[in-house]
């Protein structure tokens, strides 16, 4: 198979070639999705800057997270490869934040609260750097204490695509960033967000009515 043929294959086939240690597949996957590293570094730029972390170290951790995503991705997961890579990279960023946070604990306590709402997201900083990632970053979405039942109910109500958008939303990514990661237009993502919000709103109303 030529490099051009490999480039035109789908992600699942590329992952199979990657596991066979095909260097062309590895390079093509990195070329296709390296923009995710830039998105996440930008997302955390203010926080990382406040910790005085060297950019090369940050980028190195991100590439490790990228490799983790390629190595552990499974086709049957409820996320595309791009989303799974995003969560794996974010896990690595969480690790480096915790490392430097421990070293500068006192100063950071005065500067950043773990309840700080990051940019325009409803997610707290604690959600980004929690220790609940385990081996699968998707579990951080579905296994937070107090949210298990609700998140499972939400997942049941959403399509695979809607849930994938939901996962990225709760990580604090904008609809423009989600559109780029999922290779959709911003309008498509905006429409998906409106649909999933309505479904979640209806689900919450159903639960409230059940309680009454």
């Amino acid at each position: 198979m030529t490099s051009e043929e490999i480039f035109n294959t789908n992600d699942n086939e590329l992952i199979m070639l990657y596991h066979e240690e095909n260097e062309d597949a590895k390079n093509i996957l990195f070329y296709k999705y390296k923009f995710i590293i830039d998105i996440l570094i930008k997302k955390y730029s203010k926080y990382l800057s406040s910790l005085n972390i060297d950019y090369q170290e940050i980028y190195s951790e991100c590439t490790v997270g990228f490799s983790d995503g390629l190595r552990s991705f499974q086709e049957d997961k409820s996320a595309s490869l791009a989303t799974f890579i995003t969560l794996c990279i974010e896990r690595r960023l969480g690790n480096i934040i915790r490392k430097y946070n421990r070293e500068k604990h006192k100063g950071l306590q005065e500067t950043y609260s773990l309840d700080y709402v990051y940019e325009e997201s409803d997610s707290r900083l604690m959600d980004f750097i929690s220790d609940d990632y385990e081996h699968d970053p998707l579990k951080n979405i579905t296994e937070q204490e107090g949210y298990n039942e609700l998140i499972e109910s939400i997942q049941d109500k959403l399509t695979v695509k809607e849930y994938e958008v939901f996962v990225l939303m709760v990580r604090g990514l904008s609809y423009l960033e989600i559109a780029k990661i999922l290779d959709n237009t911003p309008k498509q993502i905006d429409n998906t967000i409106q649909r999933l919000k309505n479904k979640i709103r209806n689900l919450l109303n159903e639960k409230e009515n059940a309680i009454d």
Side-chain angles (χ1 to χ4, degrees), residues 34 80 186:
K34 64 181 179 180
S80 66

Side-chain angles (χ1 to χ4, degrees), residues 19-70:
H19 288 306
E20 294 172 0
E21 300 185 359
N22 185 298
E23 284 298 317
D24 285 336
K26 178 179 179 180
N27 291 336
I28 289 169
L29 285 166
F30 186 77
Y31 176 80
K32 286 180 66 175
Y33 294 115
K34 64 181 179 180
F35 70 89
I36 296 174
I37 293 176
D38 296 327
I39 287 176
L40 292 178
I41 288 178
K42 181 179 179 182
K43 172 186 170 183
Y44 287 103
S45 60
K46 292 181 181 178
Y47 193 79
L48 293 167
S49 178
S50 74
L51 295 173
N52 296 317
I53 307 175
D54 180 72
Y55 177 82
Q56 291 302 320
E57 183 175 0
I58 296 170
Y59 197 86
S60 177
E61 288 295 324
C62 287
T63 56
V64 172
F66 192 103
S67 296
D68 288 344
L70 297 182

Side-chain angles (χ1 to χ4, degrees), residues 62 65 72 82 118 126 150-151 154 173-174 207:
C62 287
S72 57
Y118 199 88
M126 175 64 82
L150 175 60
I151 296 300
I154 288 173
L173 294 169
S174 71
K207 288 184 174 293

